[in-house]
Amino acid sequence: MVQGALAGLAAGGLYAVLAVCLTLMSRLVRVVNFAQAATGMFGSYVGVALSVRGGLPEWLAVVLGVLLGGLLSVLIGWVVSTWLAEAGTGTRSAVTVAVLLLLISLSFILFGNKPQPFQALLAGPAFTLGGVVISQVTVVTVALAVVIAFAARLILTKTPVGISLRALSERPTTAELLGIPAKRLSAAIWGATGLLSTVIIVIVAPSQSNDATSLAMLVVPAAAAALLGGFRRLDLAVVGGLVLGMLQGALAQVDQLSVVRNFVPFLAIVGLLVWSQRKEVWDAAR
């Protein structure tokens, strides 16, 4: 189980990066972006198509796919910030559910519902820990999650741009009246998280099930990880992603529990939601 837990760090790093993106989106633009992984999936699929069918060099196809993932996110953000600027988080988030379903359907039409021939950008072991081989993918995904969370925290607390972003998240209309470019900052957040999502999916997709539905629904374990920090704390989002990946990896090593690992994110979401409402529940019970 220890070996499985360490092997699960690769998936944990993926969940952590997506959870950080979800947390930033929730904090800064008041959206739980259910299409976070779907935009990354679609961008990475286009990159594969450009390489395999279009004959482009692999590095160029990857770059174009990542840029497309970012542009898709910017487009969604522009729609939300233009027509739903004063809407609540629930309404704004509901739009991303429609985008999630649209991108999955579109990928079925263009690419089919089969795993795509991703080329591994990182391959081979990085080092051995306690007799367990740690892959390069694991090292890069975990490092990315930590670096992104740390960098985002520094930007939000130590820079003028971060102060503007925090003002935008708290009082968007007031911030815009004070001269803060609300739409541009929102688009930048959408674009940055879209790029990060596409990059991490391109890195991890060759080593796991990479059909369109599986990649798009990575948002579920990522949401479970982000929920640990209440969609507010970046550090707990990283911890939640890593722990979730390790737990799934450990369960996969036990035949009787291997099926349960697929339900762990849902159980985590339910448990965290119940725990977050404990005061109201206990007050009602008393």
Side-chain angles (χ1 to χ4, degrees), residues 7 18 37 52-53 75 77 80 94 177 191 200 206 209 216 237 248 254 267 283:
L18 293 177
V52 175
R53 303 177 190 175
L75 178 60
V80 171
L177 290 173
I200 197 67
S209 177
Q248 286 184 311
V254 182
L267 295 174
D283 286 346

Side-chain angles (χ1 to χ4, degrees), residues 70-90:
L71 287 174
L72 280 174
S73 293
V74 170
L75 178 60
I76 301 166
W78 181 80
V79 171
V80 171
S81 61
T82 300
W83 283 289
L84 299 171
E86 297 300 325
T89 301

Side-chain angles (χ1 to χ4, degrees), residues 109-128:
I109 295 172
L110 297 177
F111 311 109
N113 189 25
K114 295 181 179 179
Q116 298 298 302
F118 281 90
Q119 297 297 317
L121 299 181
L122 299 170
F127 59 88
T128 302

Side-chain angles (χ1 to χ4, degrees), residues 77-165:
W78 181 80
V79 171
V80 171
S81 61
T82 300
W83 283 289
L84 299 171
E86 297 300 325
T89 301
T91 303
R92 293 159 68 90
S93 301
V95 174
T96 66
V97 176
V99 175
L100 165 67
L101 299 176
L102 174 63
L103 290 177
I104 291 176
S105 301
L106 190 58
S107 67
F108 288 169
I109 295 172
L110 297 177
F111 311 109
N113 189 25
K114 295 181 179 179
Q116 298 298 302
F118 281 90
Q119 297 297 317
L121 299 181
L122 299 170
F127 59 88
T128 302
L129 178 63
V132 179
V133 176
I134 305 298
S135 67
Q136 295 180 27
V137 171
T138 299
V139 174
V140 170
T141 54
V142 174
L144 272 177
V146 174
V147 169
I148 292 168
F150 184 72
R153 181 179 177 81
L154 284 180
I155 291 172
L156 291 176
T157 57
K158 303 294 184 181
T159 67
V161 173
I163 295 173
S164 297
L165 287 170

